[in-house]
Amino acid sequence: MKIVRTYATSANLGPGFDAFGICLNLYNEYAFEVSNEYEINEFNEKYKNPENNLIIKSYEKVFNILNKKVIPIKLTELEHNIPTSRGLGSSASCIVSGVMIANNVLGNILTIDDVFQIASDIEGHPDNVAPLIFGGLTCSFKNDKYYTVKCNPSNDFIYTVCIPSFELKTSVARSVLPENVKMADAVSNISHSVALIKALELGNMELLKQANIDKLHQDYRFPLINDSAYFIDYAKNNPVTCMISGAGPTILLISKESLNINYKDWKIIEQKVNNKGAYIYER
C-alpha cells in the first residue's frame, strides 16, 4: 500500500505576508492505488464525489498538463489531523497530495520543482505549498515562475498552534485587507520580515519579538478572530511571540519553553519545525 503524508503549514509569519511559510509536524495521510474507477473512502461525505475532492482535482490537473489519459485511483483517508479553514494549509495539503500521487502513478516523471510549480499554480500562491514540499522555513515569490528559498530555523523554538472551534474562510480574511498600502508600511514590513527570518535562524526571542511587527494584514484580521486578544496579551506579558497562522483563525505562538496554556474550547498543540516535508512511502 502506498501512502502520501502531507503536513500542516503556517504561512505569513507576521510581517512575511504572502511570502513566508513554515512546515509543522501535524499531518494527514492518504493511501492510494491504481483502480479501474474512482473509489474514495473514509472522507467526509461531500468529498466522496471526485468532482468535489481537491486531491482528485489536483491529481487530474497533472494528467491534463502532461496531456496524459487520467488513470483512476482508489483513495483512502487514513489520518486527518489538519483542520480545514483554520489557517494551517489544509488546501495546500490536498493539492500537494494530489500532485504527488499523480507523479507517482506516472512513474515519477516530474522533478520536485515541477511538483512545486504545478501545486503553486493550482493553489494560486506558493507560501503554503513551498514549506510543505521542501520542508522547514521558506520564503517564496513569483517572477517568470515560482521561486522559493529554504532557510534554517533554530531548533530552540516551539511553535504552539492555538486552533479555535470556528472556521474563517480565506476569502473573508482577504476581503478586509486594503487595496492600497502606505509606502511607510511597505518599508516597515520589508525591514521587519528580514529581521524575523534572522531571529528564527538564530533562535533569538528578543529579536523575534521586535521583528514581529506587521502593517499589511494582521491588524485587519485579528478583529475577525474572537478571543484573539487573550493570546496577544499573553505574548506581551511573556517571552512569547504571537501571530496569525495563515489567514486565521488559528493563532501561532512561538516560544522556547512549553507554554502549557488552556483557553476555553481552543485546541492547543505544540509543534516543532518539520524539515522533511511531504513524501510517499509504502507499508
Side-chain angles (χ1 to χ4, degrees), residues 16 53 75 83 87 89 104 114 141 149 221-222 238 244 271:
N53 190 297
L75 181 68
N104 186 272
D114 292 333
F141 57 93
V149 177
R221 288 172 166 173
F222 269 125
N238 291 279
I244 298 174
Q271 297 282 285

Side-chain angles (χ1 to χ4, degrees), residues 31-43:
F32 65 93
E33 60 183 275
V34 171
S35 179
N36 292 324
E37 60 183 20
Y38 280 125
E39 182 181 337
I40 302 176
N41 301 312
E42 304 301 329
F43 282 77

Side-chain angles (χ1 to χ4, degrees), residues 11-219:
N12 296 329
L13 302 180
F17 179 61
D18 274 7
F20 296 165
I22 197 162
C23 186
L24 304 173
N25 283 322
L26 204 64
Y27 66 88
N28 288 353
E29 282 192 341
Y30 307 96
F32 65 93
E33 60 183 275
V34 171
S35 179
N36 292 324
E37 60 183 20
Y38 280 125
E39 182 181 337
I40 302 176
N41 301 312
E42 304 301 329
F43 282 77
N44 182 290
E45 193 63 35
K46 68 178 180 178
Y47 300 125
K48 289 185 177 180
N49 183 337
E51 294 182 359
N52 298 329
N53 190 297
L54 186 55
I55 297 175
I56 297 297
K57 291 169 70 174
S58 302
Y59 172 83
E60 292 181 341
K61 180 72 172 179
V62 176
F63 285 83
N64 294 334
I65 290 172
L66 299 176
N67 294 313
K68 302 281 189 180
K69 182 180 179 180
V70 175
I71 301 170
I73 58 171
K74 176 182 177 181
L75 181 68
T76 304
E77 184 176 74
L78 301 179
E79 293 279 351
H80 184 88
N81 300 304
I82 306 171
T84 59
S85 298
R86 297 297 202 286
L88 287 169
S90 61
S91 63
S93 169
C94 291
I95 290 167
V96 171
S97 292
V99 175
M100 290 182 65
I101 291 171
N103 186 38
N104 186 272
V105 169
L106 288 168
N108 295 311
I109 60 177
L110 301 176
T111 66
I112 190 169
D113 186 64
D114 292 333
V115 171
F116 172 55
Q117 297 300 322
I118 294 171
S120 296
D121 192 54
I122 296 172
E123 177 84 320
H125 47 87
D127 51 347
N128 285 110
V129 168
L132 177 50
I133 292 173
F134 298 102
L137 170 65
T138 59
C139 177
S140 308
F141 57 93
K142 183 180 181 182
N143 286 337
D144 56 320
K145 66 173 189 175
Y146 293 99
Y147 293 87
T148 191
V149 177
K150 185 173 179 178
C151 307
N152 297 302
S154 168
N155 291 323
D156 292 342
F157 286 127
I158 297 171
Y159 299 81
T160 301
V161 290
C162 308
I163 309 169
S165 58
F166 55 88
E167 296 183 353
L168 176 59
K169 297 294 185 182
T170 301
S171 58
V172 174
R174 285 274 178 188
S175 70
V176 300
L177 302 183
E179 293 185 4
N180 300 293
V181 298
K182 297 177 181 178
M183 180 67 74
D185 290 345
V187 172
S188 174
N189 269 61
I190 292 169
S191 57
H192 284 81
S193 62
V194 172
L196 185 134
I197 290 293
K198 197 64 180 177
L200 290 173
E201 288 182 332
L202 295 173
N204 188 323
M205 175 55 72
E206 183 178 353
L207 178 60
L208 185 63
K209 287 178 75 75
Q210 292 298 320
N212 185 35
I213 303 295
D214 167 70
K215 302 288 187 180
L216 299 184
H217 70 110
Q218 293 200 138
D219 287 347

